[in-house]
Amino acid sequence: MFFNLNSNKMFFYFILFFSTLISISANSWLGCWIGLEINLLSFIPLISNSKNLLSSEAALKYFLTQSIASINFLFSILLKMILLKNFEINNLISILINSSMLMKMGSTPFHFWFPNIIEGLSWFNCFILMTWQKISPMILLSYYMNYNFLMIIMIFNVIVGTMGGINQTSLRKLMSFSSINNLGWMLAALMMTENLWIFYLMMYSFLISIMCFFFNMMNIYYINQLFIMNMKFSLKMFLLINFLSLGGLPPFLGFFPKWIIINFLIMNKLFIISFIFIMMSLIMLFFYIRIMYSSIMFNYLKMKWFKNFMKNYLLLIMNILSMISLLGMIISTFMFM
């Protein structure tokens, strides 16, 4: 299974889901803070596993970083309430609130906890941390934005996400740096319009869910396991298509939201930012292609203990998902014509 369910876990997933809704529908800053706290306390039991030392360490690190961000957020909103009776945007306080939200979602320059924690998680928890846990901080960020500050942050996000991923051997860390890179794009989308951000997040969640589902099913955590895979060539092709889609190569679905964002950036005359975004996407594609090239070319021995069985219905799901990834862009282009 993708993840083992028992009643405790179901309970915590339920709270995780509703705490996000609490924080994004709260009508006061304190309500937002309470939602974030409940979210943190429901995610920790989902991470920690007494049998796995890495995940226990990840849970502790996650708790510390998130609680520091929460304290920072609470301090900022109290400061705002004391100093500013009316809701005017003060530069310092907006930077403080934005920073605490950026720390919550693992954005640069507060990203150092993110790859370390992801290294200790299961693939399903990685998926939650890279998608669902980004929603409430980003929506709170959109309430009180400091545009100049966020422009610098989104450029750094894209650069750090790309540079950090180049030398990785762990697929979880690779995915986490890819997530940091995509966070830069998401911030750009959020600064333009919330609908574009929702669209980008949905597309990104779809692509990352395919990757996490696949790696979880094949029980793969490191790049060298991709070479050992004595699996069908169609599966390697499937992986290639989805990697390229995640990187944002034109005929694939992943390019579509990036295309819209680049379009908006150029309309707003932000040429240098769009240039940086495009160049960094190229570097991301370079190391995705490097991994897949090696995976397709190298043919290692088949290990006896390697989990390599694939039910037919799973293969069918994989093929359908890769076809959506491949044809999605073409279909959506026709829709817009």
Side-chain angles (χ1 to χ4, degrees):
M1 271 297 289
F2 200 20
F3 56 103
N4 302 318
L5 274 187
N6 53 36
S7 54
N8 285 345
K9 277 201 171 173
M10 260 337 284
F11 173 67
F12 286 119
Y13 281 121
F14 187 74
I15 295 177
L16 185 81
F17 177 71
F18 275 96
S19 60
T20 300
L21 299 187
I22 288 169
S23 81
I24 63 181
S25 58
N27 59 358
S28 72
W29 283 111
L30 209 62
C32 298
W33 175 77
I34 289 167
L36 289 170
E37 284 301 299
I38 297 169
N39 184 281
L40 158 66
L41 292 175
S42 62
F43 193 51
I44 286 170
L46 294 173
I47 303 175
S48 56
N49 176 5
S50 54
K51 295 186 184 70
N52 186 348
L53 278 175
L54 262 176
S55 61
S56 309
E57 185 190 339
L60 189 61
K61 282 180 183 170
Y62 184 75
F63 172 72
L64 288 171
T65 49
Q66 296 293 316
S67 52
I68 289 167
S70 292
I71 290 166
N72 194 355
F73 182 54
L74 190 61
F75 170 74
S76 314
I77 56 181
L78 290 175
L79 198 66
K80 192 183 87 58
M81 285 170 183
I82 294 162
L83 294 182
L84 308 165
K85 297 292 184 284
N86 53 347
F87 196 81
E88 62 184 46
I89 290 197
N90 179 295
N91 222 2
L92 173 70
I93 291 176
S94 66
I95 286 179
L96 273 173
I97 291 179
N98 287 1
S99 298
S100 51
M101 289 299 104
L102 293 170
M103 191 172 179
K104 276 261 175 217
M105 60 192 165
S107 162
T108 348
F110 315 104
H111 66 282
F112 296 98
W113 61 272
F114 195 65
N116 287 339
I117 285 172
I118 272 193
E119 191 60 22
L121 305 187
S122 68
W123 276 116
F124 185 68
N125 285 339
C126 282
F127 168 68
I128 290 179
L129 191 58
M130 288 189 283
T131 55
W132 186 260
Q133 296 294 74
K134 299 258 193 292
I135 295 174
S136 48
M138 289 206 109
I139 286 180
L140 298 192
L141 191 70
S142 72
Y143 293 160
Y144 208 68
M145 277 180 143
N146 185 330
Y147 284 93
N148 299 333
F149 175 64
L150 283 182
M151 270 190 187
I152 298 164
I153 292 292
M154 74 191 194
I155 291 169
F156 274 112
N157 259 326
V158 173
I159 293 171
V160 167
T162 305
M163 294 308 167
I166 286 178
N167 220 5
Q168 294 302 329
T169 53
S170 159
L171 284 170
R172 281 175 296 194
K173 278 194 175 172
L174 192 79
M175 286 291 133
S176 73
F177 280 111
S178 156
S179 177
I180 292 169
N181 176 279
N182 278 288
L183 205 55
W185 288 88
M186 274 190 239
L187 286 174
L190 193 65
M191 286 166 75
M192 291 158 202
T193 159
E194 218 159 274
N195 292 345
L196 182 56
W197 169 75
I198 291 169
F199 175 64
Y200 193 96
L201 184 75
M202 282 167 65
M203 287 293 166
Y204 172 67
S205 303
F206 171 70
L207 293 171
I208 210 88
S209 67
I210 296 174
M211 303 306 287
C212 290
F213 176 60
F214 178 80
F215 291 141
N216 184 72
M217 201 169 52
M218 299 300 288
N219 207 15
I220 289 168
Y221 292 98
Y222 292 90
I223 287 177
N224 58 357
Q225 286 169 293
L226 287 172
F227 309 153
I228 295 170
M229 271 194 290
N230 193 339
M231 58 180 185
K232 296 184 181 69
F233 189 69
S234 64
L235 277 181
K236 288 192 176 177
M237 280 293 107
F238 158 82
L239 201 56
L240 175 68
I241 286 170
N242 286 296
F243 258 136
L244 293 179
S245 190
L246 192 61
L249 196 70
F252 301 101
L253 185 63
F255 175 65
F256 187 51
K258 291 190 174 183
W259 183 30
I260 300 173
I261 289 173
I262 289 166
N263 194 18
F264 268 99
L265 286 171
I266 289 171
M267 276 164 62
N268 292 318
K269 298 193 168 46
L270 299 170
F271 300 116
I272 295 170
I273 293 180
S274 49
F275 174 72
I276 292 169
F277 273 38
I278 293 163
M279 291 314 289
M280 293 301 141
S281 279
L282 278 175
I283 300 172
M284 290 286 283
L285 275 168
F286 159 70
F287 62 78
Y288 287 155
I289 290 169
R290 187 176 61 182
I291 292 163
M292 286 318 302
Y293 182 76
S294 312
S295 168
I296 289 166
M297 288 302 182
F298 296 172
N299 203 356
Y300 279 30
L301 296 170
K302 181 180 179 182
M303 300 295 178
K304 277 273 173 62
W305 57 83
F306 189 66
K307 178 179 163 188
N308 193 18
F309 52 87
M310 195 80 155
K311 296 185 179 68
N312 285 334
Y313 72 90
L314 288 175
L315 202 58
L316 181 67
I317 291 170
M318 287 293 174
N319 287 330
I320 290 168
L321 290 175
S322 58
M323 286 317 288
I324 293 171
S325 212
L326 184 57
L327 299 174
M329 173 72 191
I330 300 162
I331 295 162
S332 52
T333 311
F334 283 133
M335 277 165 55
F336 274 76
M337 274 168 74

